[in-house]
Amino acid sequence: MATERYNPRESEPRWQKAWEDARLFEAKDDESLPTYYVLEMFPYPSGRIHIGHTRNYTMGDVVARYKRAKGFNVLHPMGWDAFGMPAENAAMQNKVHPKEWTYQNIATMRAQLKMMGLSLDWSREFATCDVDYYHRQQMLFLDFHAKDLVTRKTSKVNWDPVDRTVLANEQVIDGRGWRSGAEVESRELAQWFFKITDYSEDLLNAIDRLDAWPDKVRLMQRNWIGRSEGLSIRWPLVEDTAPGGEQELEVYTTRPDTIFGASFMAVSADHPLAKKAAEKNPELAAFIEECRRVGTSAASLETVEKKGLDTGIRVRHPFDPEWTLPVYVANFVLMEYGTGAIFGCPSGDQRDLDFANKYGLPVTPVVMPEGADPEAFQITEEAYTDDGVMINSHFLDGLSNDAAFEEVAKRLENETLGGKPVAERKVNFRLRDWGVSRQRYWGCPIPMIHCETCGVVPVPKEDLPVKLPDDIDFEQPGNPLDRHPTWRHVKCPKCGGDAQRETDTMDTFVDSSWYFARFTTPHADTPTKPEVTNRWLPVDQYIGGIEHAILHLLYSRFFTRGMRDTGHLGLDEPFRGLFTQGMVVHETYRAKDGRWLAPSEVRVEGSGSDRKAVEIATSEEVSIGSLEKMSKSKKNTVSPEDIIDSFGADTARWFMLSDSPPDRDVEWTDEGAAGAHRFVQRVWRLVTEAAPAIEKHKARAARQGDAASISKSAHKALKIVGNDIERLAFNRAIARIHELVRDLQGPLSKLDTAGDETRAAAREAIEILIRLIAPFMPHLAEECWAQIGGKGLVAEAVWPEYDPALVVDEEIVLPVQINGKKRGDLTIARDADQAAVEKAVLELDFVQKALNGAAPRKVIVVPQRIVNVVA
RNA sequence: GCGGACGUGGCGGAAUUGGUAGACGCAAGGGACUUAAAAUCCCUCGGGCUUCGCCCGUGCGGGUUCGAUCCCCGCCGUCCGCACCA
């Protein structure tokens, strides 16, 4: 019988419409069902859906469809991270309004996503640039402000001279703006900050409880927060060397144990003491100026020479007033960390040692490895930074460095200088407050007003939203809101006098820091409704790229705490499970003249070492380059539409999840896609050819005879595939489905002559197979389901339960080893006890031959696993 | 520099965290069907040898163990994160 090939182009839109008409994927209000919230990081509407997006969303969709089948009330929403620079760049380049550009892109991309057959709840869709959304974000901002989680401070900021905006530290990569790639300058500006550092300790400690997050991400967050325990020590200045009014220098150290190894002090060029000393010292002033320039414009700091200049100021050692040390200004000391000043212990820190050697400062070893000879132990070129025993340190000698830390802390805490303790234990964090001010148009306006008499006044909530004006011009660089003729001029809400709006807008990371909460109540007048929001949150499974391991996730964790403390929701952590998926990569092709070529422009011939690529247009050979993330610049892209056009969405979904583990990159190859399509057709053929023989039969598992092997294959696959999906091991699930299809192929081809029992078992097996492929290839599953006369839609069918009796065999095959090497098998009843197994093994021919009449030294039986005979 | 991950056939990768190494897929080779092609189906596919069997083999060198891809020690290599953090 000739079967028609499965035609995805005809089939897929039909099923998409059927699902939509039945509104199957809208999360239900039903409170009796257990909830499951699966979310993929929402896309920026750049113009087109990228193949990488589709892999990400397919993973989420497999989980969503599986969980729905398992009886959960699933929330699987989609939206748009729609504010940001590209819209403004497009406005400047193409004279199109950012709003228009953005919403057009959204329309295009929504249509592309719908072709993928994703089970999304589109009724909850929003874009962060919707007034409706940023209105609520402004409410949150005001609440955070009232709760003292927002502050305005003047600070040194990273200024991107090309984009003309301020960047967060996290947005500066190797000294360059993350978007523009321009070298970042340093400027002093008044900025709005979220006080994320209020939660430093909690954000750090809670990482321990995020056990469904990848270890890698947890570690990255820990390092980013960067907690260190140390001592803040105040060193008195030698009176006649100190600039007017200055009396002490406070330094932070994590190594107070090395205090007797101190040989100099170093302060940042921005340190007040340095500034003061420079007033009467032109050489120092020049040096400080030089440090600033280097500190802000150097692309790679590692190439910068460590430099310092003696200020002439001297400090007294806390344990010996007669001992004075010089104070340097050094270009490697950061004002932003600790107190902006350090004491240098050359023997215990490589950088300090280099500095001491350069400026001829003393080097006294104070920690040596245990067992070394204190008389002979010397430090010349290499510092000793490990743990060890104290030497040359007076009362600390002989102690471990940990004990010495404690001893120094204890003594200095109890001594006073100017009525205050000399030292204080202090925990320091690397984490900085989150500067959110951006001098851009296309972002959420910060709802604040500057009044000359009242200062900074929040916009009253009833006056929200502060809407972006539509009539703007992009003729000049900088912030169009600043130049708008009327928008910024308002009356002060407090005194009624003339006042000015804040023209900064918020960092777009703010938008994405709470969207997952908004999806729970997308149409509410308030940002959330705690009674609803708390039912859905935390997100059970969040899926996205590793590039967001720090920023987005940390900000979202902060926002969740902020929203908790302002009464918008009742939990600490937004994402219970996190999964970071790999990218879709493709070979790159480059012509001799350096042009990148798209895969569609080349023809690849041969295989192995003979493999070569030829440019179709010119017939010239081109070089085949490394696998790279698909990008416009290297032209190694494959468009989702082209794939859907030639193979259908199911094939694309199936291929992207097979082979490579989901957290690793997958290489897109035409052969691989064709292979996936072959499998689609194979399933279709298997089902349609068996359909007539099983049409009139009711599904029923068989336990005896040949038919039982069909049922066993199906139930074993059912069990394993379910487990694999739970663990997001999609590649393994797919391998198991391949095996099931292979196992069913033989028996199902002989159904014409089979009895009722076999046909019933075959029907059950096919129903199971269709259910197993449904999360991955939902359209094909529906088409197959219809083919065997299934009721309703697979998308609303319940995931079947496997029968435990069918997934175990009565007889098992145990590998038998002799001295650890496999020499054969033993087939024995599953419930045979250890003694029976041992007896049977010793009777095996090859075992007797190996033993040669002697008794074995030992027989190790690992139940259900293996037997090892030690001869 | 600091921190982390990884290293398995021609390729992507399996191996229930100490129990048959190479599942499944891709590529390749051979065969069947066909006038032919496509499609489909079957077989082979880590290396070596004296090939019904044996030896070697999970980056390299050691170790622990009845047994090691998995644990320990020491190297080599690749990738990622942070990076003047006191």
Side-chain angles (χ1 to χ4, degrees):
Chain A
M1 177 184 63
T3 314
E4 275 189 40
R5 285 173 69 78
Y6 173 64
N7 180 1
R9 250 185 292 186
E10 182 276 322
S11 171
E12 290 182 350
R14 187 155 39 78
W15 293 114
Q16 284 161 17
K17 182 163 188 307
W19 298 326
E20 200 176 331
D21 290 349
R23 301 173 67 159
L24 283 184
F25 307 136
E26 291 179 18
K28 298 171 191 72
D29 290 327
D30 188 346
E31 287 179 42
S32 68
L33 293 170
T35 62
Y36 193 91
Y37 186 176
V38 54
L39 181 67
E40 301 96 57
M41 290 179 186
F42 66 164
Y44 177 78
S46 57
R48 312 212 51 88
I49 284 290
H50 185 273
I51 192 90
H53 290 127
T54 63
R55 186 174 186 224
N56 185 198
Y57 305 144
T58 301
M59 288 178 193
D61 199 46
V62 170
V63 174
R65 287 177 181 271
Y66 172 76
K67 287 290 176 183
R68 221 174 266 122
K70 289 288 271 186
F72 288 88
N73 185 11
V74 170
L75 174 56
H76 186 213
M78 181 56 72
W80 311 94
D81 189 12
F83 273 135
M85 289 283 308
E88 289 192 50
N89 292 339
M92 285 180 263
Q93 281 156 26
N94 310 328
K95 308 247 183 284
V96 53
H97 195 282
K99 192 191 226 172
E100 198 182 314
W101 183 85
T102 302
Y103 281 104
Q104 252 168 27
N105 288 347
I106 288 174
T108 308
M109 292 169 76
R110 184 192 299 115
Q112 284 183 291
L113 282 187
K114 289 198 170 179
M115 296 198 312
M116 290 299 296
L118 302 167
S119 64
L120 292 163
D121 182 349
W122 287 104
S123 73
R124 292 171 187 252
E125 177 193 1
F126 59 76
T128 56
C129 63
D130 294 346
V131 177
D132 196 52
Y133 183 80
Y134 72 71
H135 176 179
R136 273 78 208 183
Q137 187 160 304
Q138 290 170 342
M139 292 167 80
L140 288 176
F141 189 93
L142 294 177
D143 287 349
F144 277 31
H145 184 258
K147 195 80 187 174
D148 200 25
L149 289 173
V150 175
T151 185
R152 186 171 166 81
K153 51 187 175 185
T154 301
S155 77
K156 217 167 153 181
V157 294
N158 304 302
W159 178 259
D160 185 320
V162 169
D163 281 348
R164 294 199 172 209
T165 188
V166 168
L167 300 174
N169 279 339
E170 295 89 323
Q171 292 168 336
V172 179
I173 294 146
D174 292 335
R176 290 169 181 274
W178 71 297
R179 264 194 44 78
S180 70
E183 280 189 9
V184 167
E185 295 168 7
S186 155
R187 286 198 183 179
E188 296 261 344
L189 273 181
Q191 301 283 306
W192 290 101
F193 285 84
F194 280 124
K195 289 162 79 177
I196 189 170
T197 58
D198 282 8
Y199 297 94
S200 296
E201 192 81 55
D202 184 33
L203 286 168
L204 180 69
N205 292 337
I207 293 172
D208 293 342
R209 297 191 295 275
L210 294 172
D211 53 9
W213 281 37
D215 288 340
K216 181 183 172 133
V217 174
R218 297 205 285 170
L219 186 73
M220 283 163 74
Q221 294 233 336
R222 279 193 195 101
N223 291 341
W224 191 263
I225 296 169
R227 183 182 195 273
S228 72
E229 283 180 17
L231 214 55
S232 207
I233 305 175
R234 296 158 60 224
W235 302 58
L237 304 183
V238 175
E239 297 71 22
D240 54 349
T241 65
E246 296 294 329
Q247 291 183 351
E248 62 179 50
L249 177 62
E250 188 171 4
V251 306
Y252 175 73
T253 179
T254 56
R255 293 295 302 273
D257 48 308
T258 65
I259 196 160
F260 288 103
S263 72
F264 65 94
M265 315 296 285
V267 300
S268 160
D270 297 309
H271 196 279
L273 197 58
K275 286 182 181 166
K276 241 188 192 155
E279 283 168 13
K280 291 185 190 144
N281 185 341
E283 195 195 351
L284 190 60
F287 179 70
I288 288 173
E289 198 42 49
E290 187 194 326
C291 288
R292 279 216 187 106
R293 260 200 316 278
V294 172
T296 56
S297 68
S300 57
L301 286 161
E302 59 196 298
T303 60
V304 176
E305 196 187 350
K306 312 272 180 279
K307 268 183 165 172
L309 188 69
D310 190 348
T311 58
I313 303 169
R314 297 291 176 270
V315 297
R316 292 185 196 285
H317 196 278
F319 287 115
D320 181 0
E322 299 305 309
W323 179 1
T324 64
L325 298 95
V327 178
Y328 280 75
V329 170
N331 64 352
F332 59 84
V333 179
L334 304 172
M335 193 59 220
E336 300 81 43
Y337 188 78
T339 60
I342 62 164
F343 80 77
C345 173
S347 63
D349 183 288
Q350 191 59 45
R351 195 188 47 205
D352 292 351
L353 181 62
D354 295 344
F355 192 83
N357 285 340
K358 179 166 181 171
Y359 294 103
L361 297 160
V363 179
T364 312
V366 286
V367 184
M368 64 168 193
E370 210 159 338
D373 174 11
E375 299 299 319
F377 189 66
Q378 293 269 316
I379 297 281
T380 52
E381 294 300 319
E382 209 165 311
Y384 181 75
T385 55
D386 291 339
D387 286 348
V389 182
M390 303 307 300
I391 51 171
N392 303 323
S393 296
H394 305 255
F395 55 87
L396 300 175
D397 284 351
L399 296 178
S400 71
N401 54 294
D402 285 346
F405 182 118
E406 288 305 311
E407 186 61 28
V408 170
K410 218 181 298 167
R411 289 194 186 214
L412 292 183
E413 276 170 336
N414 290 321
E415 263 173 57
T416 55
L417 177 66
K420 289 188 289 181
V422 171
E424 236 182 319
R425 284 172 201 267
K426 211 173 153 194
V427 172
N428 236 310
F429 293 93
R430 215 189 68 113
L431 186 66
R432 297 282 109 81
D433 275 334
W434 174 16
V436 295
S437 290
R438 296 292 180 272
Q439 291 66 46
R440 309 301 322 180
Y441 163 74
W442 195 232
C444 173
I446 294 174
M448 288 288 171
I449 289 167
H450 300 276
C451 170
E452 263 183 41
T453 40
C454 309
V456 176
V457 183
V459 174
K461 269 198 180 172
E462 55 273 22
D463 291 353
L464 294 182
V466 177
K467 279 165 98 171
L468 287 170
D470 284 334
D471 51 330
I472 42 151
D473 88 278
F474 281 99
E475 293 306 305
Q476 307 152 58
N479 184 357
L481 292 177
D482 257 347
R483 299 190 304 265
H484 193 277
T486 56
W487 185 78
R488 65 184 304 181
H489 303 293
V490 285
K491 297 291 176 201
C492 171
K494 229 181 203 168
C495 69
D498 286 344
Q500 302 219 307
R501 278 196 195 289
E502 171 65 67
T503 57
D504 285 353
T505 53
M506 292 184 215
D507 180 5
T508 56
F509 274 103
V510 179
D511 311 339
S512 55
S513 291
W514 72 285
Y515 78 107
F516 48 87
R518 183 66 181 171
F519 274 135
T520 64
T521 55
H523 312 298
D525 292 336
T526 45
T528 63
K529 285 184 177 168
E531 71 278 10
V532 177
T533 304
N534 292 339
R535 200 162 71 228
W536 285 110
L537 288 177
V539 174
D540 292 282
Q541 186 63 61
Y542 195 35
I543 307 176
I546 187 77
E547 69 273 20
H548 292 114
I550 298 172
L551 309 188
H552 162 59
L553 292 171
L554 194 59
Y555 293 155
S556 297
R557 297 180 62 218
F558 159 71
F559 240 78
T560 303
R561 285 162 170 77
M563 289 172 76
R564 175 198 63 197
D565 294 347
T566 49
H568 292 287
L569 41 74
L571 73 158
D572 302 343
E573 289 293 339
F575 312 119
R576 190 181 58 76
L578 173 70
F579 188 83
T580 54
Q581 100 281 6
M583 298 179 301
V584 181
V585 297
H586 198 286
E587 284 183 334
T588 46
Y589 308 103
R590 201 164 198 182
K592 287 203 176 65
D593 57 12
R595 278 177 303 125
W596 296 101
L597 296 172
S600 56
E601 296 173 308
V602 301
R603 187 175 59 241
V604 178
E605 300 163 343
S607 69
S609 53
D610 297 332
R611 206 159 167 276
K612 59 178 189 175
V614 171
E615 182 175 4
I616 295 167
T618 62
S619 298
E620 296 265 342
E621 189 170 341
V622 299
S623 62
I624 300 180
S626 58
L627 295 174
E628 309 249 9
K629 177 183 180 174
M630 288 192 187
S631 72
K632 273 184 205 157
S633 60
K634 297 202 170 142
K635 292 184 79 176
N636 61 335
T637 53
V638 175
S639 94
E641 273 118 325
D642 287 353
I643 298 157
I644 291 173
D645 224 38
S646 36
F647 296 123
D650 284 340
T651 296
R653 292 169 60 120
W654 187 255
F655 173 62
M656 284 189 294
L657 297 187
S658 33
D659 291 358
S660 290
D663 52 346
R664 281 198 224 171
D665 293 349
V666 65
E667 185 194 354
W668 185 275
T669 62
D670 291 345
E671 294 83 5
H677 191 64
R678 271 201 298 278
F679 184 74
V680 169
Q681 297 295 351
R682 176 178 301 169
V683 171
W684 174 244
R685 216 162 40 239
L686 183 76
V687 173
T688 49
E689 286 177 7
I694 60 167
E695 235 167 6
K696 297 188 187 70
H697 290 77
K698 211 167 171 289
R700 190 158 185 276
R703 274 146 218 291
Q704 315 274 297
D706 287 350
S709 72
I710 297 175
S711 299
K712 280 186 173 177
S713 293
H715 282 257
K716 282 179 183 169
L718 179 56
K719 179 185 177 186
I720 298 174
V721 171
N723 283 339
D724 284 340
I725 294 176
E726 299 267 5
R727 294 154 62 200
L728 309 181
F730 306 119
N731 56 323
R732 283 184 285 195
I734 284 175
R736 297 289 90 80
I737 295 173
H738 271 287
E739 285 178 4
L740 175 60
V741 168
R742 182 197 62 195
D743 290 348
L744 292 181
Q745 230 147 11
L748 292 197
S749 65
K750 292 178 223 122
L751 286 181
D752 288 350
T753 57
D756 286 351
E757 201 190 359
T758 302
R759 290 178 184 225
R763 172 154 199 122
E764 198 219 18
I766 286 175
E767 288 187 2
I768 287 173
L769 172 66
I770 292 170
R771 251 73 155 259
L772 293 183
I773 63 167
F776 301 90
M777 303 197 283
H779 313 89
L780 175 66
E782 297 291 1
E783 203 66 52
C784 288
W785 192 247
Q787 195 69 201
I788 62 165
K791 282 200 199 89
L793 294 162
V794 182
E796 57 185 339
V798 179
W799 193 260
E801 294 283 330
Y802 68 86
D803 180 344
L806 286 168
V807 298
V808 294
D809 295 309
E810 299 88 61
E811 288 204 317
I812 53 171
V813 178
L814 282 180
V816 178
Q817 295 181 330
I818 292 165
N819 295 330
K821 294 212 151 121
K822 192 200 164 189
R823 287 294 126 103
D825 296 310
L826 171 70
T827 304
I828 195 162
R830 184 188 167 74
D831 51 10
D833 63 16
Q834 207 145 323
V837 171
E838 191 170 328
K839 183 161 176 285
V841 163
L842 292 176
E843 279 164 7
L844 290 167
D845 275 356
F846 63 90
V847 174
Q848 295 207 335
K849 205 166 133 197
L851 289 174
N852 210 4
R857 294 221 329 253
K858 213 183 200 180
V859 178
I860 293 151
V861 178
V862 184
Q864 315 294 322
R865 276 281 161 81
I866 202 165
V867 183
N868 190 14
V869 179
V870 186

